Amino acid sequence: MAGAFFLLLFFLGWWCYLKKRKLRQEEERQKRDEEYFVELMASESFNGSTNLESNGKNGSRLMVFSYASILAATHDFASENKLGEGGFGPVYKGKLSDEREIAIKRLSRTSEQGLVEFKNELILIAKLQHTNLVRVLGCCIRGEEKMLIYEYMANKSLDFFIFDEAKRALLDWPRRWNIIEGVAQGLLYLHKYSRTRIIHRDLKASNVLLDECMNPKISDFGMARIFKQNETEAITKRVVGTYGYMSPEYAMEGTFSVKSDVFSFGVLTLEIVSGRRNTSFLYLDKTVNLIGYAWELWQRGDALEFEDPTLADTCVVYQLLRTIHVALLCVQENAIDRPVMSDVISMLINDTMLLPTPKRPAFFIGTSASMSTSVENQLDDCSINKMTITEMEAR
């Protein structure tokens, strides 16, 4: 009897020892992860403007969240908390112990977007402060698990509304106009007023998030590139981006600049006005894409036919026509003909400002020639299913 009692005590003591050792190992791992991220950020020239801190402290600085806190916030990444999935990996909604709602972008282990882009996005967003850019709260790393923690956007992304037959009726013209202007202001900040000039390179409807008031915030900076002060354009051997939004010089030659983002903005604006994807005509056996359709209507003087029917009586006609006109200026074939974002905003807001006549847009023929030969045949790195495709490259 006494032997059994001592044996029970031994196993109980051994169990407590193992539990304490596991807890100590977990704490050491979390400490190593935090130290790793501090070193990682320091190596990327933060210039002392941004610091990492352990979670639990409020403020504008980035936080390193513990893996346990993320598991608790998402209920162990429960399927009902999954908001969506992109090239980076799945995105989950979570609620912290202090009741703050967050969005967690979890790097998929099979994702082509690796640690380089993870660092790129964290570093870039940490430096950016603008009402039309999504705010990153911090990060979490545990072994192979890598996550970015964002402010939660109650109304998900723009594509959730604009391409849905029922939901896009909720976006009347004033809301759509506000979204167009907000995205334009966000791009202007990236191109001109942030501390470093940034080219987003993957602007699209799914990368425009909407807050509780339907205000837009540009997200997903994993593809973004920083330009030097005197740099106006760059060339890459590996093109990254999404089919339908890439400018011709970028898709065919790998050349990108602020005008590449302007082109993407033009495509996005046409989608917001019409409620249709740029590639929607590809599935209807048409000879033109959305850009070509808008161009043909404009040339015939029938641009009002481009309007999304769900806008009904909320549309301000002169404003809508002006918006289509500006969008066509943004998608012109030659980059030199496209306006910069400061001019885009002036043309959108200033009703008395005379607008130049847009020239032939890029990819005008659409499925049969320009789109297929310039993108599909020459480059295999473009996505045709709204997902971002990435090839790692040194910066």
Side-chain angles (χ1 to χ4, degrees), residues 29-40:
R29 174 189 290 214
Q30 179 66 23
K31 185 178 180 180
R32 284 197 306 271
D33 291 341
E34 292 185 10
E35 289 174 349
Y36 168 75
F37 263 98
V38 170
E39 292 173 4
L40 181 124

Side-chain angles (χ1 to χ4, degrees), residues 67-79 81 92 106 145:
Y67 186 68
S69 68
I70 299 302
L71 280 181
T74 60
H75 299 292
D76 201 8
F77 298 106
S79 57
N81 286 325
Y92 294 87
R106 188 183 190 189
E145 287 277 10

Side-chain angles (χ1 to χ4, degrees), residues 296-304:
E296 288 184 338
L297 291 175
W298 180 265
Q299 293 236 292
R300 296 204 311 256
D302 297 325
L304 273 178

Side-chain angles (χ1 to χ4, degrees), residues 133-200:
L133 302 180
V134 71
R135 186 164 63 95
V136 66
L137 303 177
C139 54
C140 173
I141 181 172
R142 182 180 184 271
E144 294 184 3
E145 287 277 10
K146 299 173 183 68
M147 289 166 272
L148 290 171
I149 317 302
Y150 297 89
E151 59 178 330
Y152 175 67
M153 294 288 103
N155 284 308
K156 301 184 179 181
S157 58
L158 177 60
D159 67 331
F160 180 74
F161 287 90
I162 203 69
F163 301 133
D164 184 276
E165 290 290 339
K167 292 186 178 67
R168 73 168 180 257
L170 299 173
L171 294 179
D172 56 15
W173 176 249
R175 283 198 176 101
R176 295 193 199 195
W177 168 254
N178 181 63
I179 291 170
I180 291 168
E181 185 189 0
V183 172
Q185 295 287 358
L187 281 181
L188 175 61
Y189 172 79
L190 292 176
H191 292 174
K192 189 173 182 179
Y193 295 116
S194 63
R195 280 177 289 180
T196 52
R197 180 181 297 173
I198 295 170
I199 314 301
H200 189 279

Side-chain angles (χ1 to χ4, degrees), residues 115-134:
L115 184 59
V116 173
E117 281 192 15
F118 182 79
K119 290 162 56 178
N120 190 40
E121 182 161 6
L122 185 60
I123 292 161
L124 282 175
I125 300 182
K127 292 181 176 181
L128 304 175
Q129 296 292 329
H130 191 273
T131 186
N132 295 117
L133 302 180
V134 71

